Amino acid sequence: AQTMARRLGHLKQGLGIKGEIPVYYKRMTGLLSELIDQVAEEIAEGDYGLVIIDAMGKATANSPEGASEALVFFDAMDSLEVDYLVIDHIDKASLGKTNADRPYGSTFKFNAARSVWWAKKHGEPGENEIFVRLEQTKANDMTRHAPIPVHIRFENDATYIDKADWDTMPEELQRKQTQTDMALATLKSRGPLAFRDLLVITQVKEPYLK
């Protein structure tokens, strides 16, 4: 709880938030599906609108890679009737392979979710900053959001989170940059350009800029 309070305090300072942040932290052990009635009661009493699970692997600890555990987990979360955000991990052995940006284990983790975002970070040891690429890999009833470049800076009493420019991101985080992203980054760095000049400089295909 003390660690969470410190982190929230730093975010509050960095984001310029005044007053209290209405966040309640609860440490849990065991299967979430077996404790869901207790969680539902606390949600009702606190009138909470968002639940964050960190992380799904621990919440489904008996078999985090199993299909049935994933389905039971999502059924339990749906029963709460509030918005929820679930943090999960990827299988490091799958990095660089097909579907490496999907959660570890059963495909039902991906299929049962309404929206899936993949986060890839880069930071050098000893530095007080990291860069993060946020990419939506699944969206229901909508077009997937364009990738988002994020810069996070850690100071003694504050954490600053800002949207970054693609041209300032580490190369490994730019590998999936869309053609539209490249065009926008070029315009931002060079200023206004004629349409044909922009095509030549970025090598972007014309239909992507219509």
Side-chain angles (χ1 to χ4, degrees):
Q2 290 85 354
T3 299
M4 186 60 63
R6 173 176 54 80
R7 290 176 176 175
L8 286 173
H10 288 186
L11 286 170
K12 175 180 167 182
Q13 182 71 17
L15 295 172
I17 297 175
K18 306 297 182 182
E20 294 299 317
I21 300 178
V23 174
Y24 172 70
Y25 172 76
K26 180 177 179 63
R27 183 175 179 84
M28 299 185 66
T29 58
L31 296 178
L32 179 64
S33 59
E34 297 178 356
L35 303 169
I36 203 66
D37 290 340
Q38 173 189 339
V39 174
E41 183 178 343
E42 294 187 22
I43 289 175
E45 291 178 354
D47 193 27
Y48 301 115
L50 172 68
V51 174
I52 301 175
I53 303 297
D54 183 12
M56 187 173 179
K58 294 191 69 175
T60 57
N62 279 0
S63 181
E65 75 282 357
S68 60
E69 285 73 11
L71 293 173
V72 169
F73 171 86
F74 279 107
D75 282 345
M77 293 303 299
D78 286 341
S79 72
L80 297 176
E81 298 184 347
V82 295
D83 293 329
Y84 59 88
L85 169 66
V86 180
I87 300 171
D88 202 8
H89 300 89
I90 63 173
D91 181 4
K92 290 185 178 180
S94 299
L95 288 175
K97 300 180 181 178
T98 303
N99 293 337
D101 53 1
R102 290 194 177 195
Y104 165 73
S106 170
T107 188
F108 284 104
K109 287 184 174 182
F110 184 86
N111 293 344
R114 301 292 295 173
S115 174
V116 179
W117 285 81
W118 175 71
K120 172 69 174 178
K121 75 171 183 177
H122 176 89
E124 297 296 337
E127 297 291 334
N128 70 332
E129 64 178 0
I130 61 174
F131 294 89
V132 180
R133 178 190 180 88
L134 294 177
E135 183 168 348
Q136 189 175 32
T137 58
K138 179 185 177 182
N140 281 11
D141 302 325
M142 66 183 79
T143 301
R144 284 187 296 167
H145 198 288
I148 302 173
V150 178
H151 177 233
I152 303 176
R153 180 164 51 91
F154 304 96
E155 299 295 346
N156 290 333
D157 60 351
T159 298
Y160 299 91
I161 303 176
D162 298 291
K163 187 173 181 180
D165 294 324
W166 281 114
D167 54 4
T168 66
M169 296 286 281
E171 185 176 351
E172 69 176 81
L173 300 185
Q174 297 186 19
R175 62 184 178 84
K176 292 184 179 179
Q177 186 176 0
T178 68
Q179 298 198 57
T180 301
D181 293 332
M182 289 188 287
L184 291 175
T186 299
L187 289 172
K188 188 166 186 178
S189 63
R190 297 199 177 200
L193 291 169
F195 184 70
R196 289 296 169 188
D197 292 338
L198 182 61
L199 292 179
V200 171
I201 293 171
T202 62
Q203 297 298 302
V204 170
K205 296 180 181 178
E206 185 170 340
Y208 286 95
L209 299 183
K210 288 297 186 181

